[in-house]
Structures are given as C-alpha cells and as structure tokens.
Amino acid sequence: DQQVKQNSPSLSVQEGRISILNCDYTNSMFDYFLWYKKYPAEGPTFLISISSIKDKNEDGRFTVFLNKSAKHLSLHIVPSQPGDSAVYFCAATTDFGNEKLTFGTGTRLTIIP
Amino acid sequence: GAVVSQHPSWVICKSGTSVKIECRSLDFQATTMFWYRQFPKQSLMLMATSNEGSKATYEQGVEKDKFLINHASLTLSTLTVTSAHPEDSSFYICSAHRGTQSPLHFGNGTRLTVT
C-alpha cells in the first residue's frame, strides 16, 4: 500500500524555467511533509518541509504548496538550474521531529541547459 | 556539513558471509536512528527503527534475524546483514533526527553487492 505517491517518474525542464514536482498521499494522519533531493549513490538531502496547518512554505528558489483537502503537495523550483538535476522524493510523517518518514517513489528531474 | 556518517560507502561480499554497516551521528546524540533500504529505481523503504539501549523495531516483512541492529551508544548504530544472499544487494541508508523539530538527516548510504 503506497501511502505517498509521485506519479511522474521523470521530468525535464529547460534551465531558467519553473520545475513543478507533484506528490499525493492517502493517509490523513500525516501532519508534516518534506521534500528531499537525492543524487546517485548518496543519501537524500533535506530541502524543505511544510506543516499541515500551512498551505505554502518558501525557501529561496524552493516553494512547497499543500492542498490538504486534495491530499496533494507540490514543489516548485524557480528558476531551475542544472545543479537541480537529481531525484526528488516527497515524504510524510505524523511527527516532524521524532517519527519515521514514508517516502514517495521519486521523480527524476533533468534540467536542460 | 554532514551530520550523519555511514561506513563503508560500498562493500562487496560473497554469499553466506556477514557484513556490518556503521552509522554515526557526528555532533549530536541520537537515541533513535532509522535504517532504510533502496532497490534500484525504487523508493526508500524503512527497514527498522534503532533504539539506543533497547531492541530495534522492525517493519513488517523485514527479518530481524537476518538484519541485526545494535544501537549500543548514543552516536552509533550498526546494521549487520547476516548470511548475505544476492537478493540482499541494495543501497542501505541510515538516518537520524538532530533534535526535536528537526528533519531526518541521512548518511551517504552503503552500496552492498553480494556475489
């Protein structure tokens, strides 16, 4: 039972444009959502998170939007840069600082120079 | 900089042997660490929660006798893959919270290949 889903396995975006990565979840108990970036043969790196009491969180070029009623979140990267090429995982948890994460299947983002 | 260190980064072993992977929190104490596994082109799947001073909690379907976890100190957790088989070949990653209200920080992972 995949509780966190990323339906697009890959995405290609022109450099300088906006990248939008999507994620859906099914477990209404999730309270926090996170995005991680992962390069091959490395562990994931934390990017940005959002609490379920918010609908938007912004950090530099990265913005996460949460639509709780639709159980959907998205990560916007603008402007996209070549170094953003990686696999992006969304993750969810019931307790931000203490509990395990449930990961989505990942989206491979390729930024085209 | 890195807050979770994992060693080795890659290891090749023969079927039937055991392999130990270490996970250290570098500048903080971690009473709990999480071990994940990632098969090629798949998601990260939680294997077990490592608890300092007590038994690990394993996810459904993960064999506790095969994947031995020891969390003997507040900065070190080890995962031992016993009697390894080729199907255990995978990318193993540990993680820990640096403090309350902190996201999970991950080590760089260990690529295990069983021949």
Side-chain angles (χ1 to χ4, degrees):
Chain A
D1 174 31
Q2 190 71 34
Q3 296 186 61
V4 181
K5 300 178 184 179
Q6 293 174 256
N7 292 319
S8 298
S10 64
L11 175 69
S12 294
V13 174
Q14 204 78 31
E15 181 180 359
R17 302 272 183 143
I18 183 171
S19 295
I20 300 176
L21 298 100
N22 294 302
C23 179
D24 297 291
Y25 63 96
T26 57
N27 189 343
S28 57
M29 298 299 292
F30 288 140
D31 270 345
Y32 294 91
F33 304 89
L34 304 88
W35 284 94
Y36 282 82
K37 176 181 180 181
K38 186 180 182 299
Y39 293 115
E42 293 185 11
T45 302
F46 170 72
L47 276 177
I48 192 168
S49 65
I50 189 167
S51 162
S52 61
I53 63 173
K54 295 186 176 182
D55 55 18
K56 176 183 176 181
N57 188 26
E58 191 172 351
D59 184 2
R61 296 187 298 116
F62 302 93
T63 303
V64 56
F65 295 92
L66 175 63
N67 183 333
K68 199 174 176 183
S69 61
K71 293 190 175 66
H72 176 85
L73 63 153
S74 61
L75 174 68
H76 293 209
I77 306 172
V78 57
S80 300
Q81 299 174 354
D84 296 330
S85 294
V87 177
Y88 289 78
F89 289 95
C90 75
T93 183
T94 57
D95 186 349
F96 181 64
N98 295 298
E99 279 300 316
K100 63 186 181 184
L101 294 178
T102 300
F103 281 86
T105 47
T107 297
R108 179 175 300 280
L109 175 65
T110 302
I111 304 303
I112 304 164
Chain B
V3 299
V4 176
S5 172
Q6 198 170 331
H7 178 80
S9 55
W10 60 271
V11 59
I12 302 173
C13 71
K14 292 186 176 181
S15 284
T17 61
S18 296
V19 173
K20 180 185 283 189
I21 303 169
E22 292 186 348
C23 179
R24 294 181 186 274
S25 56
L26 293 183
D27 60 355
F28 65 99
Q29 294 179 333
T31 55
T32 302
M33 291 185 177
F34 302 93
W35 286 94
Y36 285 82
R37 178 170 57 184
Q38 185 188 25
F39 290 108
K41 297 184 180 180
Q42 294 189 24
S43 184
L44 289 85
M45 301 299 295
L46 180 68
M47 297 176 65
T49 302
S50 172
N51 303 298
E52 189 269 335
S54 64
K55 291 182 179 180
T57 306
Y58 290 82
E59 295 299 301
Q60 192 173 12
V62 178
E63 300 174 58
K64 59 182 68 176
D65 293 331
K66 180 168 189 61
F67 298 100
L68 299 179
I69 291 174
N70 185 288
H71 196 148
S73 80
L74 286 169
T75 59
L76 174 64
S77 174
T78 60
L79 168 67
T80 302
V81 183
T82 63
S83 187
H85 289 119
E87 55 265 32
D88 298 325
S89 298
S90 186
F91 191 59
Y92 294 87
I93 319 172
C94 69
S95 61
H97 290 288
R98 192 170 187 172
T100 57
Q101 298 306 305
S102 166
L104 265 184
H105 291 279
F106 287 82
N108 265 343
T110 298
R111 168 75 58 196
L112 171 63
T113 302
V114 185
T115 61

